[in-house]
Amino acid sequence: MQLMDAIQDNYKIVSVVGMAKNAGKTVTLNQLIDEAMERDIRIGITSTGRDGENQDLVTNTEKPMIYVDEGTLIATTEGTFKYTEAKLEILEVTNINTSMGKIVIVKAKTSGYVQIAGPNTNREIKIVCDKLLTYGANLVIVDGALDRISSASPSVTEATILATGAVLSRDMNKVIEKTMHQVQLFSLPQVKNDKIKNIASVVIEEKGYCVIDENDEMVPIEIKTALNSGEIIGSAIKDNTKYVVIGGSLVTNTLKKIVESTRKYKNVIFIVKDATKIFISSKDWMFLKKVGIQVEVVDKMKPLAVTVNPYAPQGYYYQPEEFLTAMKKFLGPIPVFDVVLGGE
């Protein structure tokens, strides 16, 4: 089985998100490009950050470059052109500005190495993805940069491939734990009640907060942010409260303060837009689940697969087959790939 088997004919826009720098995201992206070329799938590529340099600008470590085939569509910035080996034909200069110039839609006229740098916001990323599809891409791949896991949001992409690796820890078990946690967040259940989902969507769109009771009546919580507002949210939970809608990010401190301020939290479900809005460590998440915290999402994410990189730039590594087997054991039924070893 190849990575593309999980994508082809099922999705138009997917993201590749790395759990850390050097987790293998670019290698995964290159594998997808290779498989697309083999299958004659015309792809479009963009990024939430910058990728394709031969050296990491932050860590000064060597990194893989991005090689594209003739005909590949790319959304990148004007500032990356001078670093690109492939000859590019400009199809459109957009009005989307970045620190590296405007976003430009181009087509590779020859095969070669390219650098890509994309827009800054999810809304802009979605716009350029749609443009790439309009210009003829059969599949758009969004390269998700470090700390920009929001590119995996269902509002941008339909499904996500998560790249993880030894760089996260010298302890393989900790890497597995962190990866399992991220996959669990990506797999959080969606709000089933359509009326509640619609109410929550409106509140979240306005970056608001509210409680919803058993009669589906909504009462706003007058706060600007959930940060440091756990006690206020806790005091808003009544005996008949069924849901608490969080219009911004959900963090550990907020939930712990709610737990400390009321026992009624056990009867409610906390609703966030999607899993990219949750910033809680695996250890804290396990604690909060144990005490009865329930979280659902308006937009459910689709974790397609996980790729593993057994090598860390710090010089240590895991035995590749052992790492792959362990990941498969704990992440099933999510497909796990070591794209260097090949196959699932």
Side-chain angles (χ1 to χ4, degrees):
M1 180 179 179
Q2 290 186 315
L3 270 174
M4 193 57 71
D5 290 328
I7 301 173
Q8 191 172 10
D9 301 326
N10 294 316
Y11 304 99
K12 290 289 187 184
I13 307 174
V14 300
S15 55
V16 180
V17 174
M19 290 191 62
K21 274 188 175 293
N22 301 300
K25 174 173 60 67
T26 306
V27 173
T28 301
L29 175 64
N30 281 330
Q31 180 68 24
L32 286 172
I33 293 171
D34 287 347
E35 292 178 13
M37 287 192 294
E38 290 171 3
R39 301 180 185 212
D40 201 25
I41 299 172
R42 192 179 195 193
I43 58 171
I45 308 170
T46 190
S47 175
T48 60
R50 181 179 176 183
D51 205 351
E53 320 97 292
N54 59 6
Q55 188 174 43
D56 190 293
L57 299 179
V58 177
T59 63
N60 290 324
T61 53
E62 188 176 339
K63 58 177 293 189
M65 299 170 71
I66 298 173
Y67 187 88
V68 299
D69 199 12
E70 179 184 349
T72 301
L73 296 162
I74 305 163
T76 188
T77 62
E78 297 167 311
T80 60
F81 279 26
K82 58 185 174 185
Y83 304 110
T84 294
E85 177 189 274
K87 291 184 179 178
L88 304 176
E89 175 188 358
I90 296 176
L91 301 177
E92 178 181 344
V93 180
T94 74
N95 293 321
I96 300 172
N97 291 300
T98 74
S99 60
M100 297 185 70
K102 289 186 175 181
I103 297 294
V104 183
I105 309 295
V106 299
K107 181 171 72 175
K109 298 293 288 182
T110 63
S111 303
Y113 291 103
V114 297
Q115 285 195 20
I116 50 175
N120 297 314
T121 69
N122 282 355
R123 185 184 67 82
E124 292 169 341
I125 294 167
K126 184 66 169 63
I127 289 172
V128 300
C129 286
D130 289 341
K131 285 182 179 292
L132 290 168
L133 291 173
T134 300
Y135 279 106
N138 304 120
L139 169 68
V140 175
I141 304 171
V142 179
D143 172 81
L146 179 69
D147 295 335
R148 294 291 303 279
I149 206 165
S150 61
S151 62
S153 168
S155 63
V156 182
T157 59
E158 299 169 285
T160 297
I161 295 169
L162 189 65
T164 187
V167 68
L168 269 67
S169 173
R170 289 181 179 272
D171 185 340
M172 186 194 299
N173 291 327
K174 289 185 178 178
V175 177
I176 294 172
E177 177 185 316
K178 289 180 180 180
T179 306
M180 285 178 62
H181 173 56
Q182 197 61 59
V183 170
Q184 287 172 354
L185 292 183
F186 280 7
S187 305
L188 278 172
Q190 188 174 34
V191 179
K192 292 179 181 175
N193 185 311
D194 287 339
K195 183 176 181 181
I196 299 300
K197 189 162 65 175
N198 290 337
I199 294 172
S201 296
V202 172
V203 172
I204 289 171
E205 181 67 25
E206 296 173 350
K207 302 187 185 307
Y209 300 81
C210 77
V211 291
I212 302 173
D213 67 21
E214 57 194 15
N215 296 316
D216 298 344
E217 295 294 327
M218 184 269 283
V219 178
I221 304 174
E222 301 298 339
I223 55 176
K224 296 292 185 185
T225 171
L227 298 174
N228 301 317
S229 299
E231 292 178 353
I232 298 174
I233 296 172
S235 66
I237 300 174
K238 309 301 181 188
D239 289 336
N240 64 347
T241 300
K242 289 183 65 178
Y243 300 95
V244 177
V245 179
I246 304 292
S249 298
L250 186 61
V251 300
T252 301
N253 186 55
T254 300
L255 289 176
K256 283 188 173 179
K257 287 295 183 184
I258 293 172
V259 169
E260 291 170 4
S261 63
T262 178
R263 293 184 61 80
K264 297 172 184 173
Y265 74 86
K266 293 187 176 182
N267 302 320
V268 307
I269 294 172
F270 294 86
I271 300 176
V272 296
K273 181 173 175 50
D274 59 54
T276 67
K277 301 299 182 185
I278 300 173
F279 298 90
I280 299 175
S281 71
S282 57
K283 182 180 177 181
D284 288 336
W285 184 256
M286 288 173 66
F287 165 76
L288 292 166
K289 296 291 286 183
K290 190 174 181 180
V291 300
I293 290 289
Q294 303 175 74
V295 181
E296 294 185 356
V297 295
V298 172
D299 297 323
K300 184 173 173 55
M301 301 177 69
K302 176 66 178 175
L304 262 186
V306 172
T307 61
V308 297
N309 175 11
Y311 298 94
Q314 298 93 324
Y316 64 88
Y317 65 95
Y318 310 142
Q319 204 285 328
E321 288 82 3
E322 179 188 356
F323 186 37
L324 179 62
T325 300
M327 275 291 190
K328 285 181 175 181
K329 176 182 177 182
F330 287 99
L331 291 182
I334 301 289
V336 182
F337 296 82
D338 181 327
V339 296
V340 176
L341 283 179
E344 184 191 3

PDB file of all heavy atoms in Angstrom, residues 106-119:
ATOM      1  N   VAL A 106       1.842  29.457 -10.147  1.00  0.00           N
ATOM      2  CA  VAL A 106       2.758  29.163 -11.255  1.00  0.00           C
ATOM      3  C   VAL A 106       2.615  27.705 -11.681  1.00  0.00           C
ATOM      4  O   VAL A 106       2.101  26.869 -10.946  1.00  0.00           O
ATOM      5  CB  VAL A 106       4.228  29.429 -10.855  1.00  0.00           C
ATOM      6  CG1 VAL A 106       4.429  30.886 -10.487  1.00  0.00           C
ATOM      7  CG2 VAL A 106       4.658  28.521  -9.704  1.00  0.00           C
ATOM      8  N   LYS A 107       3.115  27.447 -12.879  1.00  0.00           N
ATOM      9  CA  LYS A 107       3.185  26.070 -13.385  1.00  0.00           C
ATOM     10  C   LYS A 107       4.628  25.746 -13.738  1.00  0.00           C
ATOM     11  O   LYS A 107       5.302  26.566 -14.388  1.00  0.00           O
ATOM     12  CB  LYS A 107       2.292  25.904 -14.621  1.00  0.00           C
ATOM     13  CG  LYS A 107       2.301  24.500 -15.184  1.00  0.00           C
ATOM     14  CD  LYS A 107       1.239  24.320 -16.260  1.00  0.00           C
ATOM     15  CE  LYS A 107       1.612  25.042 -17.527  1.00  0.00           C
ATOM     16  NZ  LYS A 107       0.650  24.780 -18.634  1.00  0.00           N
ATOM     17  N   ALA A 108       5.095  24.584 -13.294  1.00  0.00           N
ATOM     18  CA  ALA A 108       6.463  24.186 -13.609  1.00  0.00           C
ATOM     19  C   ALA A 108       6.560  23.832 -15.093  1.00  0.00           C
ATOM     20  O   ALA A 108       5.854  22.947 -15.573  1.00  0.00           O
ATOM     21  CB  ALA A 108       6.869  22.995 -12.748  1.00  0.00           C
ATOM     22  N   LYS A 109       7.426  24.569 -15.825  1.00  0.00           N
ATOM     23  CA  LYS A 109       7.630  24.277 -17.254  1.00  0.00           C
ATOM     24  C   LYS A 109       8.677  23.194 -17.457  1.00  0.00           C
ATOM     25  O   LYS A 109       8.755  22.592 -18.525  1.00  0.00           O
ATOM     26  CB  LYS A 109       8.062  25.557 -17.994  1.00  0.00           C
ATOM     27  CG  LYS A 109       7.018  26.675 -17.950  1.00  0.00           C
ATOM     28  CD  LYS A 109       5.771  26.290 -18.728  1.00  0.00           C
ATOM     29  CE  LYS A 109       6.024  26.293 -20.225  1.00  0.00           C
ATOM     30  NZ  LYS A 109       4.759  25.953 -20.958  1.00  0.00           N
ATOM     31  N   THR A 110       9.515  22.994 -16.428  1.00  0.00           N
ATOM     32  CA  THR A 110      10.495  21.912 -16.451  1.00  0.00           C
ATOM     33  C   THR A 110      10.519  21.248 -15.077  1.00  0.00           C
ATOM     34  O   THR A 110      10.072  21.830 -14.094  1.00  0.00           O
ATOM     35  CB  THR A 110      11.914  22.432 -16.754  1.00  0.00           C
ATOM     36  OG1 THR A 110      12.324  23.311 -15.694  1.00  0.00           O
ATOM     37  CG2 THR A 110      11.965  23.193 -18.069  1.00  0.00           C
ATOM     38  N   SER A 111      11.047  20.066 -15.013  1.00  0.00           N
ATOM     39  CA  SER A 111      11.237  19.421 -13.721  1.00  0.00           C
ATOM     40  C   SER A 111      12.378  20.106 -12.985  1.00  0.00           C
ATOM     41  O   SER A 111      13.279  20.687 -13.604  1.00  0.00           O
ATOM     42  CB  SER A 111      11.555  17.936 -13.920  1.00  0.00           C
ATOM     43  OG  SER A 111      10.527  17.295 -14.647  1.00  0.00           O
ATOM     44  N   GLY A 112      12.365  20.019 -11.663  1.00  0.00           N
ATOM     45  CA  GLY A 112      13.471  20.597 -10.904  1.00  0.00           C
ATOM     46  C   GLY A 112      13.090  20.901  -9.475  1.00  0.00           C
ATOM     47  O   GLY A 112      11.957  20.684  -9.045  1.00  0.00           O
ATOM     48  N   TYR A 113      14.058  21.406  -8.730  1.00  0.00           N
ATOM     49  CA  TYR A 113      13.835  21.739  -7.331  1.00  0.00           C
ATOM     50  C   TYR A 113      13.132  23.097  -7.212  1.00  0.00           C
ATOM     51  O   TYR A 113      13.394  24.015  -7.991  1.00  0.00           O
ATOM     52  CB  TYR A 113      15.160  21.777  -6.571  1.00  0.00           C
ATOM     53  CG  TYR A 113      15.790  20.410  -6.421  1.00  0.00           C
ATOM     54  CD1 TYR A 113      16.869  20.030  -7.225  1.00  0.00           C
ATOM     55  CD2 TYR A 113      15.289  19.503  -5.494  1.00  0.00           C
ATOM     56  CE1 TYR A 113      17.436  18.767  -7.101  1.00  0.00           C
ATOM     57  CE2 TYR A 113      15.853  18.230  -5.369  1.00  0.00           C
ATOM     58  CZ  TYR A 113      16.925  17.878  -6.175  1.00  0.00           C
ATOM     59  OH  TYR A 113      17.471  16.626  -6.065  1.00  0.00           O
ATOM     60  N   VAL A 114      12.249  23.185  -6.233  1.00  0.00           N
ATOM     61  CA  VAL A 114      11.539  24.448  -5.986  1.00  0.00           C
ATOM     62  C   VAL A 114      11.505  24.717  -4.484  1.00  0.00           C
ATOM     63  O   VAL A 114      11.661  23.817  -3.669  1.00  0.00           O
ATOM     64  CB  VAL A 114      10.075  24.408  -6.500  1.00  0.00           C
ATOM     65  CG1 VAL A 114      10.027  24.221  -7.996  1.00  0.00           C
ATOM     66  CG2 VAL A 114       9.271  23.315  -5.791  1.00  0.00           C
ATOM     67  N   GLN A 115      11.312  25.969  -4.162  1.00  0.00           N
ATOM     68  CA  GLN A 115      10.977  26.346  -2.795  1.00  0.00           C
ATOM     69  C   GLN A 115       9.548  26.846  -2.816  1.00  0.00           C
ATOM     70  O   GLN A 115       9.117  27.467  -3.796  1.00  0.00           O
ATOM     71  CB  GLN A 115      11.902  27.445  -2.268  1.00  0.00           C
ATOM     72  CG  GLN A 115      13.286  26.961  -1.910  1.00  0.00           C
ATOM     73  CD  GLN A 115      14.054  27.966  -1.058  1.00  0.00           C
ATOM     74  OE1 GLN A 115      13.482  28.852  -0.430  1.00  0.00           O
ATOM     75  NE2 GLN A 115      15.367  27.807  -1.026  1.00  0.00           N
ATOM     76  N   ILE A 116       8.838  26.584  -1.758  1.00  0.00           N
ATOM     77  CA  ILE A 116       7.468  27.068  -1.681  1.00  0.00           C
ATOM     78  C   ILE A 116       7.259  27.824  -0.365  1.00  0.00           C
ATOM     79  O   ILE A 116       7.818  27.464   0.665  1.00  0.00           O
ATOM     80  CB  ILE A 116       6.431  25.926  -1.793  1.00  0.00           C
ATOM     81  CG1 ILE A 116       6.757  24.780  -0.838  1.00  0.00           C
ATOM     82  CG2 ILE A 116       6.347  25.422  -3.215  1.00  0.00           C
ATOM     83  CD1 ILE A 116       5.710  23.692  -0.812  1.00  0.00           C
ATOM     84  N   ALA A 117       6.469  28.873  -0.468  1.00  0.00           N
ATOM     85  CA  ALA A 117       6.096  29.651   0.717  1.00  0.00           C
ATOM     86  C   ALA A 117       4.684  30.150   0.466  1.00  0.00           C
ATOM     87  O   ALA A 117       4.393  30.703  -0.594  1.00  0.00           O
ATOM     88  CB  ALA A 117       7.058  30.807   0.943  1.00  0.00           C
ATOM     89  N   GLY A 118       3.810  29.923   1.419  1.00  0.00           N
ATOM     90  CA  GLY A 118       2.406  30.221   1.166  1.00  0.00           C
ATOM     91  C   GLY A 118       1.849  31.338   2.016  1.00  0.00           C
ATOM     92  O   GLY A 118       2.590  32.069   2.679  1.00  0.00           O
ATOM     93  N   PRO A 119       0.533  31.475   1.998  1.00  0.00           N
ATOM     94  CA  PRO A 119      -0.144  32.557   2.715  1.00  0.00           C
ATOM     95  C   PRO A 119      -0.055  32.396   4.236  1.00  0.00           C
ATOM     96  O   PRO A 119       0.357  31.356   4.742  1.00  0.00           O
ATOM     97  CB  PRO A 119      -1.594  32.433   2.252  1.00  0.00           C
ATOM     98  CG  PRO A 119      -1.574  31.549   1.062  1.00  0.00           C
ATOM     99  CD  PRO A 119      -0.404  30.654   1.236  1.00  0.00           C
TER     100      PRO A 119
END
